[in-house]
Amino acid sequence: MTHHEFILAGTGGQGLILAGILLAEAAMLDGRNVVQTQSYGIASRGGLSLAEVIIDDDEIIFQQVSKPDCVLALSEEAATKYEALTAKGVTLLYDSALVKVRSGANCHGRGFTRTAEDMGRPDSANIVALGALAAGTGTVSLRSLQRAIEARFRPPARDLNLRLLAMGRDLAASV
Amino acid sequence: MTHHEFILAGTGGQGLILAGILLAEAAMLDGRNVVQTQSYGIASRGGLSLAEVIIDDDEIIFQQVSKPDCVLALSEEAATKYEALTAKGVTLLYDSALVKVRSGANCHGRGFTRTAEDMGRPDSANIVALGALAAGTGTVSLRSLQRAIEARFRPPARDLNLRLLAMGRDLAASV
């Protein structure tokens, strides 16, 4: 499988667009082709903040997600919107503090927000989730995500985000 | 016309993705729906850095640009790629320091890089170009672009970027 699709969904201000860009940059550093899309307004289907990332070894002609490998949901609304896809094999990775428990086979709740809060950075659950998404799906290398973060942040945010990323990776162990 | 499409094209490191995001955020502040896409790698069609922005009053279902209102070209390669569209009424707005003169009716060269250099910020031609694009096409309000910049940058970068935006607006007078 050289083609991968991801949906990152939640509410405004959670940093999902930044997470999508970091995921895209990491995939590019891995030598892949990437299309990254974000929707704002009604286009984001009911107030969701929505970032989509398509990764392929070949050129990407069709720029819309058709069947995601994994949906990251950082709000109840986002989980409700996409949970039906889990019956088709799509992985739903959700924040256990922000989303009610989903017990389906492909549903995985993790404490992204709680981890970020423990580090004193409640607004950085996006970085924790990114680490879990990358490690859980194995699509993008952690090394490239680290490089993308290193290129974007200055100390001390850089080191903190690298730690949050690593904590997300550890959370993903069983996804 | 409630539907607008823009292509921002150049090379990596010119800040075109950031420009696309600021344009998208401004359109959202204007109350529009927006889809913003960036392509990396081969997907970006020959090494171009490419950001696309679609703005509509209605929901945006099809997320790919079909006929742009305006193409911003910050490299010769980008101008070459898109100049044929000018025969179909598409505006080509290009950096006169980075792109050879195009004399077609819909081709407009402006000194984005030179203006940014004059301000001691050669890497900020993207913000100058954004001001020109918004003012020249009238699609997105300058006020909303200012708000998007104010939300993203802290002083002193904030004030400098607001000045660069205004200088871009002035450059656009005859576009």
Coordinates of all heavy atoms in Angstrom, one line a residue, chain A residues 17 20-21 24-25 28 32-45 50 52 57-65 152, chain B residues 17 20-21 24-25 28 32-45 50 52 57-65 152:
Chain A
I17 N -4.9 22.1 12.0 CA -4.3 22.5 10.8 C -2.8 22.4 10.9 O -2.1 21.8 10.0 CB -4.8 23.9 10.3 CG1 -6.3 23.8 10.0 CG2 -4.0 24.4 9.2 CD1 -7.0 25.1 9.7
G20 N -1.9 18.8 10.7 CA -1.9 18.3 9.3 C -0.7 18.8 8.5 O -0.1 18.0 7.8
I21 N -0.3 20.0 8.8 CA 0.9 20.5 8.0 C 2.2 19.8 8.5 O 3.0 19.4 7.7 CB 1.0 22.1 8.3 CG1 -0.1 22.8 7.5 CG2 2.4 22.6 7.8 CD1 -0.2 24.3 7.8
A24 N 2.2 16.4 6.9 CA 2.5 16.5 5.5 C 4.0 16.8 5.3 O 4.6 16.2 4.5 CB 1.7 17.7 4.9
E25 N 4.5 17.7 6.1 CA 6.0 18.0 6.0 C 6.8 16.7 6.3 O 7.8 16.5 5.7 CB 6.4 19.2 6.9 CG 5.8 20.5 6.4 CD 6.1 21.7 7.3 OE1 6.6 21.4 8.5 OE2 5.9 22.8 6.9
M28 N 6.7 14.4 3.5 CA 7.6 14.9 2.4 C 9.1 14.6 2.7 O 9.8 14.2 1.8 CB 7.4 16.4 2.2 CG 8.1 17.0 1.1 SD 7.9 18.8 1.0 CE 8.6 19.2 2.6
R32 N 7.9 11.1 0.3 CA 6.6 10.9 -0.3 C 6.0 12.1 -0.9 O 6.5 13.2 -0.7 CB 5.6 10.4 0.8 CG 6.2 9.4 1.8 CD 6.6 8.1 1.2 NE 5.4 7.3 0.8 CZ 4.7 6.6 1.6 NH1 5.0 6.5 2.9 NH2 3.7 5.9 1.1
N33 N 5.0 11.9 -1.7 CA 4.2 13.1 -2.2 C 3.0 13.3 -1.3 O 2.4 12.3 -0.8 CB 3.6 12.8 -3.6 CG 4.8 12.5 -4.6 OD1 5.6 13.4 -4.8 ND2 4.9 11.3 -5.2
V34 N 2.6 14.5 -1.1 CA 1.6 14.8 -0.1 C 0.7 15.9 -0.6 O 1.1 16.9 -1.3 CB 2.2 15.3 1.2 CG1 1.2 15.5 2.3 CG2 3.4 14.4 1.7
V35 N -0.6 15.8 -0.4 CA -1.5 16.9 -0.6 C -2.2 17.1 0.8 O -2.7 16.1 1.4 CB -2.6 16.6 -1.6 CG1 -3.7 17.6 -1.6 CG2 -1.9 16.5 -3.0
Q36 N -2.3 18.3 1.2 CA -2.8 18.6 2.6 C -3.9 19.7 2.4 O -3.6 20.7 1.8 CB -1.7 19.1 3.5 CG -2.1 19.0 5.0 CD -2.7 20.3 5.4 OE1 -2.1 21.4 5.2 NE2 -3.9 20.3 6.0
T37 N -5.1 19.4 2.9 CA -6.2 20.3 2.7 C -6.9 20.6 4.0 O -7.0 19.8 4.9 CB -7.3 19.6 1.8 OG1 -6.7 19.2 0.6 CG2 -8.5 20.5 1.5
Q38 N -7.2 21.9 4.1 CA -8.0 22.2 5.3 C -9.3 23.0 4.9 O -9.2 23.7 3.9 CB -7.3 23.1 6.3 CG -6.5 24.2 5.8 CD -5.0 24.0 5.7 OE1 -4.6 22.8 5.9 NE2 -4.2 25.0 5.4
S39 N -10.3 22.8 5.6 CA -11.6 23.4 5.3 C -12.0 24.3 6.4 O -11.8 24.0 7.6 CB -12.7 22.4 5.1 OG -12.3 21.5 4.1
Y40 N -12.6 25.4 6.1 CA -13.0 26.4 7.0 C -14.5 26.8 6.7 O -14.9 26.8 5.6 CB -12.2 27.7 6.9 CG -10.7 27.7 7.0 CD1 -10.0 27.2 5.9 CD2 -10.1 28.1 8.1 CE1 -8.6 27.2 6.0 CE2 -8.7 28.0 8.2 CZ -8.0 27.6 7.1 OH -6.6 27.6 7.1
G41 N -15.2 27.1 7.8 CA -16.6 27.6 7.6 C -17.6 26.4 7.3 O -17.3 25.3 7.8
I42 N -18.6 26.7 6.6 CA -19.6 25.7 6.3 C -19.0 24.5 5.6 O -19.4 23.4 5.7 CB -20.8 26.2 5.5 CG1 -21.4 27.4 6.1 CG2 -21.8 25.1 5.2 CD1 -22.4 28.1 5.2
A43 N -17.9 24.8 4.8 CA -17.2 23.8 4.0 C -16.7 22.7 5.0 O -16.5 21.6 4.6 CB -16.1 24.4 3.2
S44 N -16.5 23.1 6.2 CA -15.9 22.1 7.1 C -17.1 21.2 7.7 O -16.8 20.6 8.7 CB -15.1 22.8 8.2 OG -16.0 23.6 9.0
R45 N -18.2 21.3 7.1 CA -19.3 20.3 7.4 C -19.8 20.4 8.8 O -19.5 19.4 9.6 CB -18.8 18.9 7.1 CG -18.3 18.8 5.6 CD -17.5 17.5 5.4 NE -16.7 17.6 4.3 CZ -15.8 16.7 3.9 NH1 -15.6 15.6 4.6 NH2 -15.1 16.9 2.8
L50 N -11.2 20.8 10.2 CA -11.0 19.6 9.4 C -9.7 19.8 8.6 O -9.6 20.7 7.8 CB -12.1 19.4 8.5 CG -12.2 18.1 7.8 CD1 -12.3 16.9 8.8 CD2 -13.5 18.1 6.9
E52 N -7.1 17.4 6.1 CA -7.0 16.1 5.5 C -5.6 16.0 4.9 O -5.0 17.0 4.4 CB -8.0 16.0 4.3 CG -9.4 16.1 4.8 CD -10.4 16.1 3.7 OE1 -10.0 16.1 2.5 OE2 -11.6 16.1 3.9
D57 N 3.3 7.4 -2.9 CA 4.6 7.3 -3.5 C 4.5 7.9 -4.9 O 5.5 8.3 -5.5 CB 5.1 5.9 -3.5 CG 5.6 5.4 -2.2 OD1 6.0 6.3 -1.4 OD2 5.5 4.2 -1.9
D58 N 3.3 7.8 -5.5 CA 3.1 8.3 -6.9 C 2.5 9.7 -6.8 O 2.1 10.2 -5.8 CB 2.3 7.4 -7.7 CG 2.9 6.0 -7.8 OD1 4.1 6.0 -8.1 OD2 2.2 5.0 -7.6
E59 N 2.4 10.3 -8.0 CA 1.7 11.6 -8.0 C 0.3 11.5 -7.6 O -0.4 10.6 -7.9 CB 1.8 12.2 -9.5 CG 1.3 13.6 -9.6 CD 1.6 14.2 -10.9 OE1 2.2 13.6 -11.8 OE2 1.2 15.4 -11.1
I60 N -0.2 12.5 -6.9 CA -1.5 12.6 -6.4 C -2.4 13.4 -7.3 O -2.2 14.7 -7.3 CB -1.6 13.1 -4.9 CG1 -0.7 12.2 -4.0 CG2 -3.0 13.2 -4.4 CD1 -0.4 12.8 -2.7
I61 N -3.3 12.8 -8.0 CA -4.1 13.6 -9.0 C -5.4 14.0 -8.3 O -5.8 15.2 -8.4 CB -4.4 12.7 -10.2 CG1 -3.1 12.2 -10.9 CG2 -5.2 13.5 -11.2 CD1 -2.2 13.3 -11.4
F62 N -6.1 13.1 -7.7 CA -7.3 13.4 -7.0 C -7.1 13.8 -5.6 O -6.5 13.1 -4.8 CB -8.2 12.2 -7.1 CG -9.6 12.5 -6.6 CD1 -10.4 13.4 -7.3 CD2 -10.1 11.9 -5.4 CE1 -11.7 13.7 -6.8 CE2 -11.4 12.1 -5.0 CZ -12.2 13.0 -5.7
Q63 N -7.4 15.1 -5.3 CA -7.0 15.7 -4.0 C -8.0 15.6 -2.9 O -7.8 16.3 -1.9 CB -6.7 17.2 -4.3 CG -5.6 17.4 -5.3 CD -5.2 18.9 -5.4 OE1 -5.9 19.8 -4.9 NE2 -4.1 19.2 -6.0
Q64 N -9.0 14.7 -3.0 CA -9.9 14.6 -1.9 C -9.8 13.2 -1.3 O -9.5 12.2 -2.0 CB -11.4 14.8 -2.4 CG -11.5 16.2 -2.9 CD -13.0 16.6 -3.1 OE1 -13.3 17.2 -4.1 NE2 -13.8 16.5 -2.1
V65 N -10.0 13.1 0.0 CA -9.9 11.9 0.7 C -11.1 11.0 0.3 O -12.3 11.5 0.4 CB -9.9 12.1 2.2 CG1 -10.2 10.8 3.0 CG2 -8.5 12.7 2.7
R152 N 10.2 24.1 12.8 CA 9.1 25.0 12.9 C 9.1 25.8 14.3 O 8.7 26.9 14.4 CB 7.7 24.3 12.8 CG 6.5 25.2 12.9 CD 5.3 24.5 12.5 NE 5.3 24.2 11.1 CZ 4.8 25.0 10.1 NH1 4.2 26.2 10.5 NH2 4.9 24.7 8.9
Chain B
I17 N 2.7 28.7 1.4 CA 1.7 28.0 2.2 C 1.1 28.9 3.3 O -0.1 28.9 3.5 CB 2.3 26.7 2.8 CG1 2.5 25.7 1.6 CG2 1.4 26.0 3.8 CD1 3.3 24.5 2.0
G20 N -1.3 31.2 1.7 CA -2.5 30.6 1.4 C -3.4 30.4 2.7 O -4.6 30.7 2.6
I21 N -2.7 30.1 3.8 CA -3.5 30.0 5.1 C -4.0 31.3 5.5 O -5.2 31.4 5.9 CB -2.6 29.3 6.1 CG1 -2.3 27.9 5.8 CG2 -3.2 29.5 7.5 CD1 -1.3 27.2 6.7
A24 N -6.9 32.2 3.4 CA -8.1 31.4 3.8 C -8.7 31.9 5.1 O -9.9 32.0 5.2 CB -7.7 29.9 3.9
E25 N -7.9 32.2 6.0 CA -8.4 32.7 7.3 C -9.1 34.0 7.2 O -10.1 34.3 7.8 CB -7.2 32.8 8.3 CG -6.7 31.5 8.8 CD -5.5 31.6 9.7 OE1 -5.0 32.7 9.9 OE2 -5.2 30.5 10.3
M28 N -12.5 33.4 5.7 CA -13.4 32.9 6.7 C -13.9 34.0 7.6 O -15.0 34.1 8.0 CB -12.6 31.9 7.5 CG -13.5 31.2 8.5 SD -12.5 30.0 9.6 CE -11.3 31.1 10.2
R32 N -17.0 33.8 4.6 CA -17.1 32.8 3.4 C -16.7 31.4 3.9 O -16.1 31.2 4.9 CB -16.1 33.3 2.3 CG -16.0 34.8 2.1 CD -17.3 35.4 1.6 NE -17.6 34.9 0.2 CZ -17.1 35.5 -0.9 NH1 -16.2 36.5 -0.7 NH2 -17.4 35.0 -2.1
N33 N -17.0 30.5 3.0 CA -16.4 29.1 3.2 C -15.1 29.0 2.4 O -15.0 29.6 1.3 CB -17.4 28.1 2.6 CG -18.7 28.2 3.4 OD1 -18.7 28.0 4.6 ND2 -19.8 28.5 2.7
V34 N -14.2 28.2 2.9 CA -12.9 28.2 2.3 C -12.4 26.8 2.3 O -12.5 26.1 3.3 CB -11.9 29.1 3.0 CG1 -10.6 29.2 2.3 CG2 -12.5 30.5 3.3
V35 N -11.7 26.4 1.2 CA -10.9 25.1 1.2 C -9.5 25.5 0.8 O -9.4 26.2 -0.2 CB -11.5 24.1 0.3 CG1 -10.5 22.9 0.1 CG2 -12.8 23.5 0.8
Q36 N -8.5 25.1 1.5 CA -7.2 25.5 1.2 C -6.3 24.3 1.1 O -6.3 23.4 2.0 CB -6.6 26.5 2.3 CG -5.4 27.2 1.9 CD -4.1 26.5 2.3 OE1 -4.0 26.1 3.4 NE2 -3.2 26.3 1.4
T37 N -5.6 24.1 0.0 CA -4.9 22.9 -0.3 C -3.4 23.3 -0.6 O -3.2 24.2 -1.3 CB -5.5 22.2 -1.5 OG1 -6.8 21.9 -1.2 CG2 -4.7 20.9 -1.8
Q38 N -2.5 22.5 0.0 CA -1.1 22.6 -0.5 C -0.6 21.3 -0.9 O -0.9 20.2 -0.3 CB -0.2 23.2 0.6 CG -0.3 22.6 1.9 CD -1.1 23.5 2.9 OE1 -1.7 24.5 2.5 NE2 -1.1 23.2 4.2
S39 N 0.3 21.3 -1.9 CA 0.9 20.1 -2.4 C 2.4 20.1 -2.2 O 3.0 21.2 -2.3 CB 0.6 20.0 -3.9 OG -0.8 20.0 -4.1
Y40 N 2.9 19.0 -1.8 CA 4.4 18.8 -1.6 C 4.9 17.7 -2.5 O 4.2 16.7 -2.7 CB 4.6 18.4 -0.1 CG 4.0 19.3 0.9 CD1 2.7 19.2 1.3 CD2 4.8 20.2 1.7 CE1 2.1 20.0 2.3 CE2 4.3 20.9 2.7 CZ 3.0 20.8 3.0 OH 2.4 21.6 4.0
G41 N 6.1 17.8 -2.9 CA 6.8 16.7 -3.6 C 6.3 16.7 -5.1 O 6.0 17.7 -5.6
I42 N 6.3 15.5 -5.7 CA 6.0 15.4 -7.1 C 4.5 15.9 -7.3 O 4.2 16.4 -8.3 CB 6.0 13.9 -7.5 CG1 7.4 13.3 -7.3 CG2 5.7 13.8 -9.0 CD1 7.5 11.8 -7.5
A43 N 3.7 15.7 -6.2 CA 2.3 16.2 -6.3 C 2.3 17.6 -6.6 O 1.3 18.1 -7.2 CB 1.6 15.9 -5.0
S44 N 3.3 18.4 -6.3 CA 3.3 19.8 -6.6 C 3.7 20.1 -8.0 O 4.0 21.2 -8.4 CB 4.2 20.5 -5.6 OG 5.5 20.1 -5.7
R45 N 3.8 19.1 -8.9 CA 3.9 19.2 -10.3 C 5.2 19.9 -10.7 O 5.2 21.0 -11.2 CB 2.7 20.1 -10.8 CG 1.4 19.5 -10.5 CD 0.2 20.4 -10.7 NE -0.9 20.1 -9.9 CZ -2.0 20.8 -9.9 NH1 -2.1 21.9 -10.5 NH2 -3.0 20.4 -9.1
L50 N 3.1 24.9 -4.0 CA 1.8 25.2 -4.6 C 0.8 25.3 -3.5 O 0.6 24.3 -2.7 CB 1.4 24.2 -5.6 CG 0.3 24.4 -6.5 CD1 0.5 25.6 -7.4 CD2 0.1 23.1 -7.4
E52 N -3.4 26.3 -3.0 CA -4.6 26.7 -3.7 C -5.7 27.1 -2.6 O -5.8 26.5 -1.6 CB -5.1 25.4 -4.4 CG -4.2 25.0 -5.5 CD -4.6 23.7 -6.2 OE1 -5.7 23.1 -5.8 OE2 -4.0 23.3 -7.2
D57 N -19.5 31.4 -1.2 CA -20.5 31.7 -0.2 C -21.3 30.4 0.2 O -21.9 30.3 1.2 CB -21.5 32.7 -0.8 CG -20.9 34.1 -0.8 OD1 -20.0 34.3 0.1 OD2 -21.3 34.9 -1.6
D58 N -21.3 29.4 -0.7 CA -22.0 28.2 -0.5 C -21.0 27.1 -0.1 O -19.8 27.3 -0.1 CB -22.7 27.7 -1.7 CG -23.8 28.7 -2.1 OD1 -24.5 29.2 -1.2 OD2 -24.0 29.0 -3.3
E59 N -21.5 26.0 0.3 CA -20.6 24.9 0.7 C -19.8 24.5 -0.5 O -20.2 24.4 -1.7 CB -21.4 23.7 1.2 CG -20.6 22.6 1.7 CD -21.4 21.5 2.4 OE1 -22.6 21.6 2.5 OE2 -20.7 20.5 2.9
I60 N -18.5 24.1 -0.2 CA -17.6 23.7 -1.3 C -17.5 22.2 -1.3 O -16.9 21.6 -0.4 CB -16.2 24.4 -1.0 CG1 -16.3 25.9 -1.0 CG2 -15.2 23.9 -2.1 CD1 -15.1 26.6 -0.4
I61 N -18.0 21.6 -2.3 CA -18.0 20.1 -2.4 C -16.7 19.7 -3.1 O -16.0 18.8 -2.7 CB -19.3 19.6 -3.2 CG1 -20.5 20.2 -2.5 CG2 -19.2 18.1 -3.2 CD1 -20.7 19.7 -1.1
F62 N -16.5 20.2 -4.3 CA -15.3 19.8 -5.1 C -14.1 20.7 -4.7 O -14.1 21.9 -4.8 CB -15.6 20.0 -6.6 CG -14.5 19.5 -7.5 CD1 -14.3 18.1 -7.4 CD2 -13.8 20.3 -8.3 CE1 -13.3 17.6 -8.3 CE2 -12.8 19.7 -9.1 CZ -12.5 18.4 -9.1
Q63 N -13.1 20.0 -4.1 CA -12.0 20.7 -3.4 C -10.8 21.0 -4.3 O -9.8 21.4 -3.9 CB -11.5 19.9 -2.2 CG -12.6 19.7 -1.2 CD -12.1 19.0 0.0 OE1 -11.0 18.4 0.1 NE2 -12.9 19.0 1.1
Q64 N -11.0 20.9 -5.7 CA -9.8 21.2 -6.5 C -10.1 22.4 -7.4 O -11.3 22.6 -7.8 CB -9.5 20.0 -7.5 CG -9.1 18.8 -6.6 CD -8.4 17.7 -7.4 OE1 -8.8 16.5 -7.3 NE2 -7.5 18.0 -8.3
V65 N -9.1 23.2 -7.6 CA -9.2 24.4 -8.4 C -9.5 24.0 -9.9 O -8.7 23.1 -10.4 CB -8.0 25.3 -8.3 CG1 -7.9 26.3 -9.4 CG2 -7.9 25.9 -6.9
R152 N -1.8 35.9 14.1 CA -0.7 34.9 13.9 C 0.7 35.4 14.4 O 1.5 34.5 14.8 CB -0.6 34.5 12.4 CG 0.4 33.5 12.1 CD 0.2 32.9 10.7 NE -1.0 32.2 10.7 CZ -1.1 30.9 10.8 NH1 -0.1 30.2 11.1 NH2 -2.3 30.3 10.7

